[in-house]
Amino acid sequence: MAGIISYGAYIPLYRLSREILVQVWGGKGKGEKAVASADEDSLTLGVEAARDCLKGFDKSKVDALYFATTTAPYKEKQSASIMAAACDLREEIRTVDITDSMRSATIALTMAMDAVKSGSARTALVVAADTRLAPPDTEYESLFGDGAAAFLIGNDDVVVEIESSSFITLPFVDYWRLENDKIIRWWEERFCREEGYVPYMTKAIEDAIDKANVTVADIAKAVIYSPDKRMQGDIVKRFKFDPKAQVQDLMFDNIGHTGCALVPMALVAALENAKAGDKILAATWGDGADAFVFKVTDKISKMADRRGIKGYLKSKVALPTYGKYMHFRDLMEWEHDLFMERRMALAEIWRYRNFYFRFYGVKCTECGHIMLPHPNFCIYCQADEKFFEQVPMADAKGKLVTYSMDVRSRAIDPPNVLAVVTFDGGGRFFSQMTDRDPDNIKVGMEMEVTFRRIHDALGIHNYFWKCRPVRGD
Amino acid sequence: MRESIKDKVAIIGTGCTKFAERWDADVEDLIKEAVDEALEDAGVEIKDIQAGWVGTGRGSQQVPMGPPGAHIASAALQTQYIPFTRVDNLCCGGQEAVRGAALGIASRCYDLVLAIGVEKLKDTGYGGLGEAYPGKWEPIYGALGTPPGRYALAATAYFSKYGFSQEEGKRMLAEISVKSHYYGKRNPKAHLKREITVEEAVNAPMICWPLGLYDCCGVTDGASAAVLVPSSEAKAYRDDYVNIKAFSIATGPGFLKEDERYDFTYWRETQEGAKAAYEEAGIKDPRKELSLVELHDCFSIAELIATESMFLCEPGKYREEFTEKRAYYHDGEMPVNVSGGLKSFGHPIGASGAREIEECVRQLQGRVKEPSRQIANFELGLAHNQGGHPGRFVSGIAILGRP
């Protein structure tokens, strides 16, 4: 029977304390929110969650990728195709971005289930990520955070079965962005709650519970989407969920509202504490409502090595100022740059796409050394490249050989740290170091690689790998 | 059979502009200024010149369209349809111009030629050197790999390998910069002419950790020129001509920073280039035989490592043998960069190699403009440049001496 066979999540390293927002704007606020780094976007967040999810799974069996986001880096040009390459999926798969709705992720999950059930995909990957922005000095600015989650759907060793689902689609407008909007707009909250969220979430949940033949008391955890901090309370009361025992924390206090990734991330958090037999309800609002009743199987014990929500929550760095936050999220018009315009060469990236997107090195079969990027001859024994074989390096870990910190760099988040890493299994990577604390870099420290938006040039987002200190497992 | 260039080619005149942010001069003005001095020094006229080589990386354009043709020289000097060639080998461009001219003389195709190195970096509106034009691996792999960013990797590696604390390492490098500024102050044509203290250098604003402001050379405009003839004919021009004893260009295969064996504490290309040049010049003990080394010190750490890589010092012993003994001052055991070096004299990329050769020539002739830095009993001078970045260098070395 088809179901979720793996899951993963990602939370960016940086957190903005709401105290900083209170200092800048006044008002109240507690906790902190996760903020994507200057070199992250929804696509790269999604790649991280997908890689967490795929750990230990056969990537060659993934036949479809569904990427849910409302903040795709391109308007025309799919994100999922880049994500598929960065996750080292096969080329012979189908991919799609499912966008524009807070329900993009749950719809993507349903589409993936349908594909696996129908037999058109052996396994299908569902990834949700968002990096929504709200106007400064609003409740939503304080609320919104960045993050991602991923699920692998398949038939074998199912960890989470889907007992029931219900869907309602409505032409309801409450939150939206126009073509060129960077920040969200919204309609009066009372109207949204009374005419939309409360009645239709109620209907979807009732329907899903009925179809699954369970009662509210049977639900171990309820993951209930909320557009803001308050609305969820109405649903909790209406169904008499025990707020402490039954209602899954949406993690607004430590991550923030992560858009269409909110319910997927909260679901992963619920699964991290679940035991076999648990029933989990998940309900999402946006252009209507949907609800699912999930059942956790005994295979849940195999998911322990994921970093997931727990792992990524633990490893964090506080953003020191609101100014840094503005730089990270590009919230202002900045100083005119007299420096020469950055160029790029798409053809070169295409020629070496295995290196740039999949992070493949080459291994010389004559002497056994691994090299990246790909030279024409072995740099160790001068054998011709015809003796090379491709080797995936994205999961390799290594040690920092040396580094420097360029304070005057054009990087959005200086100092730009240049780093040289030698991987434990061989191979040397000269790279930029991201997600680092400049006061705590040491030669010899453990490093791993991460897929990032390197820079924009000629209107194109350029993605590539950087190294970073290993984040807490 | 291959023949050595040793003692075949003589330099009979040298010239150099004031190195500075030359808001008053464009690239052609700089060429004219340096060449005028070199021709006057040689006692020849531009119409006598049979061929010319101009070394420049960018000319005056820091734009992706790339560097200019040799017209920057022929137009600047109004030479009339003689061969002029632009040469470029990154920071060895000036060396390549002199080498091209020297090979022209050694081949006996010409017997009076001109070599020019020039760079006009300061008309761009920004500091620094711009970015590479998209090509192999550029600009994604190695993005933001600035020169200080790449050289500072070597400083971190050197400190770590030889057990220097950050403070010890910074002080050791500061001593080098203090020396560079000491000589910049004593060189009328130098760009940076203010003496500094170790404390100033250590506490200066950070540019690229661990390198601070005074560990880095500035961005400078300038040109330098030399007039070359066959050694056998040099006496007709002047008695105190200087012979080329050796010339080496060692172009590395690149990929050293990607090579697990490389630890960033030595310059392999400079080691190979030095070996070749010493052999050609017949030098057995460089530290004893060389009177002056003008080496590529775009950063303080570059001077330290180049000194070790030219076998003037045991690896890891620089502080003991150079800093603590002040060996690198003009009256020390092994004078290094007593012109002020790239650090203080300035580093207009393609001009530096020719400028270093000029320093060696004038030292040999006992004609250093500020006598307080004249080296006594001068026999052999070495000029060294390095283009590229640690792990992917080209090294150029010229050795100059009496006939």
Side-chain angles (χ1 to χ4, degrees):
Chain A
M1 195 176 120
I4 296 169
I5 60 172
S6 180
Y7 55 79
Y10 177 70
I11 305 164
L13 181 70
Y14 293 98
R15 309 296 149 83
L16 181 67
S17 165
R18 295 199 172 96
E19 273 174 31
I20 286 178
L21 292 171
V22 170
Q23 282 163 19
V24 173
W25 302 122
K28 287 188 291 190
K30 62 169 181 169
E32 59 194 16
K33 63 180 208 157
V35 178
S37 181
D39 59 2
E40 291 182 303
D41 60 19
S42 294
L43 165 52
T44 68
L45 261 51
V47 169
E48 288 280 2
R51 279 158 49 78
D52 193 41
C53 173
L54 288 167
K55 205 174 284 174
F57 279 79
D58 184 356
K59 288 185 280 192
S60 71
K61 285 190 182 146
V62 177
D63 292 321
L65 167 61
Y66 300 84
F67 177 43
T69 183
T70 68
T71 45
Y74 287 105
K75 194 140 282 177
E76 174 175 341
K77 161 78 202 104
Q78 202 185 65
S79 296
S81 60
I82 298 173
M83 183 178 289
C87 294
D88 197 22
L89 304 182
R90 285 157 36 244
E91 286 179 350
E92 299 78 16
I93 65 166
R94 57 185 191 270
T95 59
V96 64
D97 293 349
I98 299 172
T99 60
D100 304 336
S101 174
M102 286 299 108
R103 278 173 53 228
S104 292
T106 44
I107 290 165
L109 181 75
T110 306
M111 291 168 74
M113 281 292 294
D114 289 347
V116 171
K117 275 186 203 158
S118 76
S120 78
R122 288 167 298 171
T123 67
L125 185 60
V126 178
V127 182
D130 248 338
T131 50
R132 284 158 87 220
L133 290 173
D137 193 16
T138 62
E139 171 194 337
Y140 293 108
E141 180 190 45
S142 173
L143 179 65
F144 285 6
D146 306 323
F151 301 99
L152 188 62
I153 309 301
N155 285 310
D156 302 328
D157 291 339
V158 168
V159 175
V160 182
E161 292 168 356
I162 300 184
E163 303 255 283
S164 71
S165 55
S166 70
F167 302 94
I168 302 164
T169 296
L170 303 167
F172 196 86
V173 182
D174 50 0
Y175 298 85
W176 70 99
R177 269 175 279 146
L178 295 175
E179 178 94 14
N180 296 314
D181 284 353
K182 203 166 169 171
I183 55 180
I184 61 156
R185 305 168 189 248
W186 60 93
W187 198 258
E188 188 190 13
E189 181 203 323
R190 293 165 62 82
F191 165 76
C192 304
R193 183 171 66 210
E194 288 165 22
E195 283 299 303
Y197 177 81
V198 171
Y200 290 99
M201 283 286 274
T202 302
K203 191 159 179 283
I205 293 170
E206 278 172 351
D207 191 29
I209 286 179
D210 281 354
K211 281 185 189 162
N213 212 7
V214 293
T215 65
V216 165
D218 297 331
I219 302 295
K221 272 283 186 280
V223 181
I224 304 164
Y225 178 89
S226 185
D228 62 19
K229 280 185 277 189
R230 295 171 296 276
M231 285 194 213
Q232 189 201 50
D234 291 355
I235 299 295
V236 171
K237 262 188 224 141
R238 179 165 297 223
F239 284 93
K240 299 195 170 63
F241 285 118
D242 178 343
K244 282 218 171 96
Q246 276 182 298
V247 179
Q248 169 61 40
D249 177 17
L250 295 177
M251 302 175 286
F252 287 166
D253 282 353
N254 45 9
I255 299 174
H257 189 304
T258 55
C260 80
L262 175 63
V263 164
M265 290 176 77
L267 178 56
V268 170
L271 291 170
E272 285 172 351
N273 292 316
K275 55 185 193 305
D278 278 359
K279 305 266 167 111
I280 295 176
L281 172 87
T284 312
W285 166 250
D287 303 285
D290 55 39
F292 300 80
V293 174
F294 298 106
K295 187 182 159 196
V296 178
T297 76
D298 57 3
K299 299 290 187 299
I300 191 82
S301 59
K302 288 170 60 184
M303 295 287 110
D305 62 343
R306 268 120 193 82
R307 283 186 187 168
I309 298 291
K310 270 188 188 159
Y312 280 119
L313 259 184
K314 272 190 302 199
S315 95
K316 61 180 183 178
V317 167
L319 282 174
T321 60
Y322 189 70
K324 201 76 166 168
Y325 171 69
M326 291 174 91
H327 269 295
F328 272 37
R329 298 286 87 212
D330 192 20
L331 295 177
M332 268 202 156
E333 240 180 273
W334 307 103
E335 179 189 353
H336 170 57
D337 190 357
L338 287 168
F339 206 69
M340 64 194 284
E341 192 191 0
R342 192 174 260 138
R343 311 291 299 186
M344 64 159 318
L346 269 181
E348 177 71 4
I349 294 164
W350 179 244
R351 283 189 284 270
Y352 289 96
R353 56 192 176 276
N354 277 353
F355 171 57
Y356 285 115
F357 292 108
R358 293 176 189 269
F359 204 56
Y360 276 30
V362 290
K363 184 172 191 173
C364 175
T365 56
E366 293 287 291
C367 71
H369 282 98
I370 291 172
M371 291 160 275
L372 28 75
H374 180 147
N376 290 354
F377 292 89
C378 177
I379 63 174
Y380 296 91
C381 75
Q382 282 73 52
D384 189 273
E385 61 185 327
K386 71 186 176 194
F387 296 104
F388 293 175
E389 57 188 34
Q390 300 268 325
V391 279
M393 297 296 292
D395 294 329
K397 288 183 182 161
K399 308 267 187 310
L400 181 64
V401 175
T402 186
Y403 69 99
S404 66
M405 299 195 284
D406 194 342
V407 178
R408 317 243 302 186
S409 164
R410 290 174 91 182
I412 296 163
D413 176 29
N416 182 55
V417 181
L418 284 183
V420 178
V421 175
T422 296
F423 294 115
D424 297 339
R428 175 64 96 72
F429 184 37
F430 168 77
S431 82
Q432 293 180 64
M433 189 191 298
T434 191
D435 286 359
R436 74 287 176 275
D437 172 0
D439 294 331
N440 283 303
I441 302 176
K442 289 195 172 57
V443 168
M445 72 196 290
E446 289 279 333
M447 307 297 290
E448 61 189 0
V449 296
T450 174
F451 188 73
R452 295 300 166 109
R453 195 200 281 191
I454 284 277
H455 53 55
D456 289 4
L458 302 181
I460 298 169
H461 305 313
N462 286 303
Y463 296 92
F464 185 51
W465 299 80
K466 293 183 178 180
C467 67
R468 73 167 172 216
V470 170
R471 278 191 70 178
D473 275 291
Chain B
M1 204 184 121
R2 179 184 177 273
E3 287 181 30
S4 167
I5 199 167
K6 188 181 179 188
D7 290 323
K8 289 196 171 70
V9 182
I11 295 172
I12 57 161
T14 56
C16 186
T17 67
K18 170 91 175 76
F19 276 26
E21 293 181 325
R22 292 292 302 268
W23 308 118
D24 63 316
D26 65 22
V27 65
E28 295 187 9
D29 299 332
L30 293 170
I31 289 172
K32 179 170 182 288
E33 193 177 319
V35 172
D36 277 351
E37 189 184 348
L39 294 173
E40 196 191 334
D41 188 36
V44 298
E45 290 179 51
I46 189 70
K47 64 176 171 45
D48 302 326
I49 298 293
Q50 297 158 1
W53 282 260
V54 55
T56 191
R58 299 151 198 253
S60 58
Q61 315 176 58
Q62 289 212 51
V63 294
M65 272 303 290
H71 294 98
I72 53 165
S74 62
L77 302 169
Q78 282 302 297
T79 55
Q80 299 296 312
Y81 307 100
I82 64 165
F84 241 108
T85 306
R86 184 182 77 82
V87 291
D88 174 25
N89 217 341
L90 304 167
C91 295
C92 295
Q95 296 251 3
E96 286 287 14
V98 178
R99 180 166 166 265
L103 294 174
I105 294 292
S107 74
R108 302 309 301 246
C109 288
Y110 309 105
D111 56 21
L112 183 63
V113 301
L114 186 59
I116 306 163
V118 63
E119 218 76 62
K120 176 69 192 169
L121 299 174
K122 284 305 302 181
D123 283 3
T124 54
Y126 54 80
L129 295 178
E131 289 198 343
Y133 187 68
K136 185 79 173 165
W137 309 130
E138 300 281 355
I140 307 292
Y141 177 65
L144 297 179
T146 56
R150 291 170 182 275
Y151 270 95
L153 292 172
T156 305
Y158 190 95
F159 296 176
S160 168
K161 179 173 177 177
Y162 295 113
F164 291 102
S165 69
Q166 182 183 333
E167 214 212 318
E168 289 171 326
K170 293 262 314 166
R171 291 195 88 81
M172 171 174 63
L173 296 181
E175 295 276 6
I176 300 172
S177 299
V178 166
K179 184 259 300 174
S180 301
H181 279 255
Y182 175 88
Y183 286 115
K185 164 97 175 171
R186 285 157 182 78
N187 198 335
K189 287 181 174 177
H191 184 181
L192 305 174
K193 303 174 63 67
R194 192 173 73 80
E195 281 192 69
I196 59 165
T197 64
V198 169
E199 296 311 313
E200 274 179 286
V202 167
N203 297 317
M206 194 57 75
I207 298 293
C208 182
W209 193 94
L211 303 178
L213 179 65
Y214 291 115
D215 292 303
C216 308
C217 72
V219 177
T220 305
D221 301 325
S224 188
V227 180
L228 288 76
V229 299
S231 294
S232 54
E233 298 169 17
K235 263 232 142 33
Y237 297 93
R238 68 189 308 154
D239 290 334
D240 59 350
Y241 66 90
V242 168
N243 269 1
I244 292 173
K245 298 290 180 184
F247 231 124
S248 77
I249 296 284
T251 313
F255 288 106
L256 261 191
K257 62 185 185 299
E258 292 85 358
D259 185 326
E260 290 167 40
R261 298 167 297 189
Y262 185 56
D263 71 4
F264 289 81
T265 65
Y266 56 95
W267 311 141
R268 179 74 196 279
E269 297 83 352
T270 292
Q271 290 177 338
E272 295 298 325
K275 277 187 228 163
Y278 295 157
E279 192 186 335
E280 185 154 54
I283 292 172
K284 300 274 183 301
D285 184 346
R287 186 158 165 170
K288 283 215 170 69
E289 294 174 59
L290 291 170
S291 310
L292 168 67
V293 171
E294 283 285 310
L295 58 75
H296 196 81
D297 61 326
C298 47
F299 300 95
S300 53
I301 184 67
E303 173 158 341
L304 187 164
I305 294 183
T307 303
E308 294 192 354
S309 294
M310 280 190 275
F311 314 106
L312 305 173
C313 165
E314 289 291 314
K317 299 273 190 226
Y318 186 86
R319 187 172 71 169
E320 251 171 89
E321 295 187 22
F322 274 79
T323 314
E324 287 171 5
K325 291 184 184 167
R326 297 170 60 86
Y328 40 35
Y329 280 84
H330 74 286
D331 50 359
E333 188 197 339
M334 179 66 261
V336 176
N337 291 350
V338 302
S339 63
L342 276 53
K343 167 72 195 82
S344 204
F345 197 91
H347 181 32
I349 304 172
S352 280
R355 194 277 304 163
E356 291 175 4
I357 288 171
E358 196 226 17
E359 173 71 16
C360 292
V361 169
R362 300 250 169 176
Q363 285 276 2
L364 259 161
Q365 294 168 334
R367 296 198 296 148
V368 172
K369 285 204 174 82
E370 171 67 56
S372 66
R373 58 182 191 86
Q374 175 70 50
I375 294 166
N377 306 317
F378 199 106
E379 290 298 329
L380 285 172
L382 182 149
H384 160 260
N385 281 111
Q386 254 170 201
H389 58 252
R392 200 178 179 90
F393 276 134
V394 52
S395 156
I397 290 176
I399 297 178
L400 302 137
R402 281 180 233 291

